[in-house]
Amino acid sequence: MNVTLTVNGTEHTLDVPDNTLLVDVLRGQLGLTGTHVGCDTSQCGACVVHLNGDAVKSCTVLAGQADGAAVTTIEGIGSPDDLHPMQAAFRDNHALQCGFCTPGMIMSAIDLVQKSEGLDEQAVREGLEGNLCRCTGYHNIVKAVLAAQQNMAQGGN
Amino acid sequence: MASQNGIGAAVKRKEDARFITGMGRYTDDLGAHGQTYAMFARSPHARAKIVNIDTAAAAATDGVVAVFTGADLKADGIGDLPCGWLVKSKDGSDMIQPPHPPIAVDAVNYVGEPFALVIGETLAAAKNGAEALSVDFEELPAVVDLASAARTAQIHETVPNNQCYDWELGDKAATDAAFEKAHHVTRMDIVNNRLIPNAIEPRAALGEYDAAAGSHTLHTTSQNPHLERLVLAAFVNVAPEAKLRVISPDVGGGFGSKIFVYAEETAVIWAAGKTRRPVKWTAERSESFLADAHGRDHVTHAELALAEDGEFLGLRVQTIANMGAYLSTFASSVPTYLYGTLMAGQYKTPAIYVEVQSLFTNTAPVDAYRGAGRPEATFVVERLVETAAREIGMDATDLRRRNFIQPTDFPYETPVALTYDTGDYEASLDKALAHVHYAAFAQRRDASEAAGKKRGIGFSCYIEACGLAPSQVAISLGAGVGLFEVGEVRVDVTGSVTVVTGSHSHGQSHETTFAQIISEKLGVPFENVTVLHGDTGRSDYALGTYGSRSLAVGGSAIVKATDKIIAKGKKIAAYMLDANADDVEFEDGSFNVTDSNQSLTFAEVAFAAYVPAKYPLDELEPGLSEKAFYDPPNFTYPAGAHVCEVEVDPETGVVEVVQFVAVDDFGNIVNPMVVEGQVHGGLAQGIGQALLEHGVYDDTGQLLSGSYMDYTMPRADDLPSFTVDTTTTPCTHNPLGVKGCGEAGAIGSTAAVINAVTDALGVASIAMPATPETVWRTARGE
Amino acid sequence: MEQAGEYRIPAVRKEVWRALNDPAVLARCLDGCRSMTPVGPDEFEADIGAKVGPVKATFAAAISLRDVVPLHSYRLQVRVKGGAAGFANGTAAVQLKEVDGGTATMLNYRIEGAIGGKLAQIGSRLVEGAARKMTARFFERFAADFASA
């Protein structure tokens, strides 16, 4: 089937088998390997991207379901020279070690902050319940999200 | 030089720029032209004979490139996967190592063991091919229960009673005599639950064969690519060592599970040569659960003998350790030299005797997982000590203080073969108690009680031995490899520096901390230092990353290499400045002639080394690049005090960790931000073991906790924020005075949590993980 | 996995026993059964379409009757090879007893099952639930078959 996706602002029309997952289109066909796959039961969150502005696990979305949609991946939110406040907060708070869960974690965290107000530590912990990290014990991730919340409120994205 | 990016500074990480922007390059992100995909067919049975494998339909499946069975690998001369540490039994006999073909040939011995691989043009084709395999298994009764595994069916023809070895350490007679004198004996039965490591990046491999060069290249998720290459070349016979390059690119966590040489990358690199096509495999999480080496899994009976005043007189430990179905790469060393040797803990227990029987079962192989033996040892010692305190009515911290090895006692020789070089255990405990506000605990307990909750506090004063060493001692005890590390410091023409290390970073931040060392030692700007790692084509043979060794061993090798750079630089500078080399000092990045204003920058000397206009070429080689191998004279001994406070809801059995304080002595610290992060992660894994995680097989050997639906990983809302602090007694025998921090969190924390939960419930013991159901039942006396 | 049940069937035992040995009846009562082919004495091969959670698949099952005591009892053994998905084995011990002076028959069953491989790893709860439902449904239909006859 033909699928048209606007990924990080660029429109792509792709011919894919009906059962193709969004994550496989992103990683395999578009080479956007920042979105990771860490499990096969939709529970680790390493594959989280934004679909029309909502955080989704791209391992659980068919490419066909995303036809016509705007997809934002980790590659689309900032660059080393122009980091998204959430990316900067992750770096500044040492909220990552091996980096594998990081893209999904950042994409979930951005969605969480954008859709909530005045998140406290407990709310951040609950909000990130769908993303697994094995390195950090979440301590610094929570710190980073709380810091980014302030920066995003002060005019970031 | 006290540079803002030098040793001791909380420098932001170099690694992060790529990871936070999605530009990390992990094995599965790589691809090769003409690449094919491997799918492994895995046993659904815990124990069965392979009667027949019919590959015809699989081979005829659309898009299938090749189908290989264990027999194909065997016929091609591919050897068994070896275990790298030969442990001897009490009677002096060698451990028994059953044959471990990478792909099963005649029999399968755990659910998930691969018996064939199918190579497809696409992953879907490979999967369809694997689906089309027709296999006749003759099912046999599985051996699953560890405690009775020596008395049931024999799994391997060559291994009577399923016993790998029956090992001992310590003086049995002296220990028995100590128990004779005891005023009180605390006895415990302890189960250390099986864990499944679960690095979030699943294992992966991309094998390539260059027919023109006759050489293989393997990209894989390894913590130690040189070890991978050595084993694949020398033992498995995939290719000669010089014709095999192993590269570990960015690796998404390891925690021990990526130390080992596994069936999958072995088969993938071999198949690339056979098919003359690149072959790629990435584990699905379900495969990781089945086929990554698991951790822990001990059944122990332990006894502590005390004098009337609480002095420890003797410790007796009997452990049965689960090896799983085959010996993984370092499995045999984990419950012996990394476990029995730690039984002195922080205490002056004069007599200790440890017996360990390692048994095979029809479960996934068990090997090192963060801490590897030391968490199990700490759990035994610290549960015993806390329980003894409760039994004799003494404060648990007072009983520990009564028995601590004192700062004046170092070097301290334990009765279990180690010599601790330094430490101050009371300092860590004092600091931890201040953080946790121990004095006010009784009030907090009363407040919880009033709210219908039960509050408890638990302690764990752990010691670990890191940077496994020295080589000669380890080899004399059965290690099959040396334990040194290599570091190379290549000064570029313009004075920037490239460091090549044999250590591997998969979260540990080597690119940052090693650059800090260079920046400190050579005065080179931090941003001008690049650290390369993870490639047998780049660095000399070395041992990689495990056992919290990277900084203590790998970092020391780098320091040795920088010392050589400075020594050579002084000679070059002396010649250029017409001075005597003995009069040249190196400080803050410049070579200065003493008692003069003559000086050269590091960059000027580097340039002269490569553009030798004025240069003593008859005495010195041009260039400024040095390499050093470092073999430590002893282990390092990080130690610390962990305190956990929990609140239990007796109605639901839910345990809330309300406070967790970790005060650790890691010696000198290069980057405190990184160290704190390492501790946080370790704590999460240790708390996870205590409260959440459990690898469970049913009695037929089916893995029931085989996905994130059933294996409870710690999530953000399961954990508190931690209080992490340090004390410092520098390591006495390495140039940085560092000890290692990667495993401490996982080693100390588990016992603290269980000590707190049992304190809250007022029970002697509780099974791990202390899930709400277990807590609820235990509280009701079930 | 264990499960048991009991049905009162309004037919004489001889008829019930005959039906229990009739592949056509077995096929009709087994949810999703597309074919049931005798391959030997008391041995059948069946294709069964089953829906387990979100997964719909066709399984080849080997069915055999064991420990046959005519008119009284047998064990119905079902072995399913699911390829890469693993395996599922089940045995139903069936007993017949005359009741109401022989005008009706009491059918007792007790099943035991085991699953392995990926089915057990990922789907133990789903598969067990599905297998229970399928078994219960089989005997329910079997009993209903007589009621409507």
Side-chain angles (χ1 to χ4, degrees), chain B residues 387-434:
Chain B
T387 304
R390 290 174 191 166
E391 287 178 356
I392 65 173
M394 197 168 170
D395 179 273
T397 61
D398 290 341
L399 180 60
R400 287 180 170 88
R401 289 181 206 276
R402 169 76 187 75
N403 289 282
F404 276 153
I405 299 161
Q406 297 300 315
T408 48
D409 294 331
F410 297 103
Y412 177 81
E413 200 172 322
T414 74
V416 277
L418 297 179
T419 303
Y420 301 168
D421 64 335
T422 182
D424 185 348
Y425 308 136
E426 210 149 354
S428 293
L429 181 58
D430 287 342
K431 211 168 190 180
L433 294 183

Side-chain angles (χ1 to χ4, degrees), chain B residues 475-695:
Chain B
I475 291 166
S476 76
L477 295 174
V481 288
L483 298 164
F484 55 83
E485 192 50 68
V486 70
E488 190 178 344
V489 177
R490 297 179 188 160
V491 182
D492 304 322
V493 183
T494 54
S496 58
V497 173
T498 301
V499 176
V500 188
T501 173
S503 295
H504 185 269
S505 179
H506 32 281
Q508 293 89 339
S509 321
H510 294 6
E511 291 166 40
T512 302
T513 51
F514 288 4
Q516 286 178 257
I517 295 171
I518 294 295
S519 185
E520 172 90 18
K521 296 284 178 189
L522 297 182
V524 175
F526 176 73
E527 53 277 15
N528 292 354
V529 185
T530 299
V531 178
L532 303 177
H533 61 93
D535 184 350
T536 63
R538 276 177 173 161
S539 100
D540 278 52
Y541 175 76
L543 276 302
T545 289
Y546 55 86
S548 306
R549 72 193 296 273
S550 289
L551 186 60
V553 191
S556 295
I558 289 169
V559 171
K560 270 185 81 179
T562 59
D563 289 345
K564 293 185 190 180
I565 294 279
I566 292 167
K568 185 171 180 182
K570 283 181 180 174
K571 288 182 191 168
I572 298 169
Y575 188 87
M576 292 171 71
L577 298 173
D578 297 319
N580 189 325
D582 293 342
D583 294 334
V584 177
E585 283 176 349
F586 182 66
E587 208 189 341
D588 290 349
S590 18
F591 293 92
N592 311 309
V593 180
T594 44
D595 303 326
S596 84
N597 58 1
Q598 287 191 295
S599 162
L600 288 169
T601 65
F602 183 77
E604 286 169 327
V605 170
F607 188 81
Y610 292 100
V611 186
K614 185 174 185 189
Y615 193 92
L617 278 170
D618 47 347
E619 289 165 33
L620 275 183
E621 293 173 13
L624 196 54
S625 176
E626 298 287 349
K627 178 164 64 192
F629 291 84
Y630 177 76
D631 199 278
N634 191 357
F635 284 90
T636 62
Y637 298 97
H642 290 187
V643 188
C644 178
E645 192 168 316
V646 299
E647 194 176 60
V648 179
D649 183 341
E651 295 296 313
T652 61
V654 170
V655 174
E656 188 189 349
V657 177
V658 289
Q659 261 206 102
F660 201 104
V661 174
V663 177
D664 302 291
D665 177 358
F666 298 131
N668 293 332
I669 285 173
V670 172
N671 186 324
M673 176 192 82
V674 165
V675 166
E676 281 188 16
Q678 290 293 309
V679 175
H680 295 156
L683 294 179
Q685 287 173 337
I687 296 169
Q689 165 161 33
L691 298 179
L692 304 167
E693 301 181 38
H694 198 189

